[in-house]
Each structure stands twice: as C-alpha cells, then as structure tokens.
Amino acid sequence: MTIWNLGSINADFAYAVSRLPGPGETVAATALDRGLGGKGANISVAAARAAARVVHVGAIGPDGRWAAERLLEYGVDTRHIAEGGEVTGHAVIAVEPCGENAILIWPGANAAIPESVRDAALAAARTGDWAVTQNETNGQAGWLSAARRLGLRTAYVAAPFETGAARAALPHADLLILNAVEARQLSEATGAAPGALSVADVVVTRGAEGCTWHGPGGAREFPADPVQAVDATGAGDTFAGYLLAGLDRGLPMAQAIGMAQSAAALMVARRGTADVIPDLAEVQAARGAP
C-alpha cells in the first residue's frame, strides 16, 4: 500500500546552545547545521526508511528545490510537490546539551499548497492506503475528509497544536498521534481525555516515559527504550513515520509501536532531523532482530 502525506517541507537551521534563552535573553550558539526538516518531511523520510512506499504532497519555493531532491534521495515520491512563489518554509532550532529544544517556524510555501495538488494526489490513491497530515500545512481537514470518503485510512499528527485545526481534523481521523503536552492542550480545548475522543486509536508519546495507546481495548502503556538523549528534534516525527509504516505493512498496533519506539530512541541519540533518521536495518538491529 501507500502512505500519502500532506506535509510541510522546511530548511532546518539548528543551533547548539548551552541553554535555551529566556525572555529578552541573548545566548550565543556554539554550532550551526542546516538540513532537511519540517514535521511532514520528517514523517515521510521516516516512513520511507521503514520500508513503506511514501508519496509526499506539499509545496516549496524556488529556493527549496534541494529539499525536494533530498526527499527523493531518501526514497520519497516527490511528484506531488508543487513549486510556487512563496519562499520555502524554514525553522530555527535551539538545542541544549541534554537534547531539549525550542523551535521557531516560518511556514512559507507550506501554507500555500494548491488544492489542485492535493486533489491530484488523492485521485491516484487506492482504497486501504493511508492519508496523513500535520498542522504545518493548509487544508488538513479537507484532505482527511476527502481521503476517508475514498476509502483511505486516515492519520492526524496534532502538532504543532492549534485548537481550530484539531477540532476540524479530528472528526475525519482514524488514528491520532500527539505528545503529552499536545494531549493536555487537546483535553483543555475539547473537555475530553484522549481515551474519550471519537477516534479509533489515539497514541500519546511521552518521551523518556514511553507512550500510551488508547485503543478498542482501553489504555495500554509502552515503556521507552533506554537511551542517552542528545537532541530530541524530530524524534516524535520519526515515531509517527515508523508507526504508520508498520501499520501499513499490517503489523499489529503493539508491534508497530515497539518499532516506532526503537526508531525514536535511536533518533534522540543523534543531532539533526530528516537527514539522520535511522533506517529499518538499524532499528531491527537495535531490537535484536535477526
């Protein structure tokens, strides 16, 4: 099957800092790296490296052709990435030695994906494929609604959290993936706990504390793989991409979560985003698979 990802594409500017700056404070960076990022691109790369067929649906500016080429190198189908007049989205990321980060995003072309591009992608999809999106693009709710009408399975990554976007997308999602902070924000916005939402499967990630799957059988806890974190950037996106790839291959939810946990653990031990997402062989080796 295929994972169709309506997702952002960013240039990530990652700065190593001794500590995250407070209000009004200037902190000097000790290193700078530029790489491919954006929640959407990260998820596409992760799913592709987990051996899924992935089609990325998005937009870049003329300055972002390198990003589309990088996605293609990583095994992602880029035929539904439009080039428009907006600049390519970008993110400024500050990372502490312990791995905690603070991120500032400029959406650029990510917020101007033409409806015709989204429609053309779904016209090529097949029943049983996955359609996924996040909150860094335009048209999320319409994308999920149209995909579900066409018989696709739908997944919504509610990040970065935005109340209006979440309210619009949730009625069309079969799977919801979010972190603990986003889960609290969603509960405050809707008055419903994750397990009480009208979504078949809800997965809440909690970093070093593991994750919780709220499914048909109730809540089930999964411990995180032990790891020395150096950079948490992209770990949640790696988890989401691997989870979707596992489900697309027909793995049971618990097994897909285990793979996603191991991939995220490898990711937080590395500095960078899409360019350093582990491949399936690395994840299987970490899990002791033959």
Side-chain angles (χ1 to χ4, degrees):
M1 307 303 290
T2 301
I3 297 171
W4 301 82
N5 181 13
L6 175 66
S8 56
I9 302 170
N10 284 344
D12 277 357
F13 298 92
Y15 297 84
V17 295
S18 59
R19 65 183 185 284
L20 299 181
E25 182 182 16
T26 298
V27 175
T30 58
L32 166 64
D33 289 313
R34 189 195 80 159
L36 175 65
K39 299 195 73 64
N42 294 341
I43 290 171
S44 284
V45 171
R49 286 190 163 175
R53 178 174 184 267
V54 184
V55 179
H56 194 97
V57 184
I60 55 173
D63 60 321
R65 292 170 188 164
W66 67 271
E69 292 170 359
R70 191 80 58 84
L71 281 167
L72 187 62
E73 291 172 4
Y74 293 150
V76 177
D77 188 326
T78 61
R79 286 175 289 182
H80 294 279
I81 295 176
E83 183 178 316
E86 295 281 347
V87 298
T88 302
H90 60 265
V92 176
I93 306 167
V95 184
E96 290 183 330
C98 68
E100 287 298 324
N101 60 45
I103 304 175
L104 183 66
I105 294 174
W106 176 252
N110 295 318
I113 302 172
E115 186 176 356
S116 59
V117 172
R118 304 195 301 267
D119 291 346
L122 288 179
R126 296 183 178 182
T127 300
D129 286 350
W130 278 96
V132 59
T133 191
Q134 321 81 41
N135 284 342
E136 289 183 347
T137 68
N138 58 314
Q140 304 103 326
W143 166 261
L144 294 177
S145 176
R148 182 179 265 184
R149 288 197 303 271
L150 292 170
L152 278 69
R153 295 170 287 176
T154 57
Y156 174 50
V157 181
F161 186 79
E162 202 280 314
T163 300
R167 287 185 181 275
L170 282 178
H172 313 295
D174 299 313
L175 169 64
L176 171 64
I177 306 170
L178 68 175
N179 65 28
V181 173
E182 293 152 359
R184 184 174 66 250
Q185 293 171 320
L186 182 60
S187 294
E188 292 171 352
T190 63
L197 295 168
S198 57
V199 179
D201 293 289
V202 179
V203 178
V204 180
T205 62
R206 301 191 309 278
E209 296 178 5
C211 73
T212 305
W213 166 36
H214 299 272
R220 180 174 172 182
E221 302 291 335
F222 294 82
D225 293 9
V227 66
Q228 182 65 46
V230 299
D231 185 356
T233 310
D237 304 331
T238 299
F239 177 96
Y242 262 83
L243 177 61
L244 286 164
L247 296 175
D248 185 62
R249 290 204 306 274
L251 296 182
M253 178 66 81
Q255 189 175 348
I257 286 176
M259 292 290 291
Q261 292 273 67
S262 295
L266 289 173
M267 185 63 177
V268 300
R270 304 172 177 185
R271 296 192 185 278
T273 46
D275 299 309
V276 298
I277 292 173
D279 63 24
L280 185 58
E282 293 177 277
V283 174
Q284 290 175 329
R287 294 176 61 79

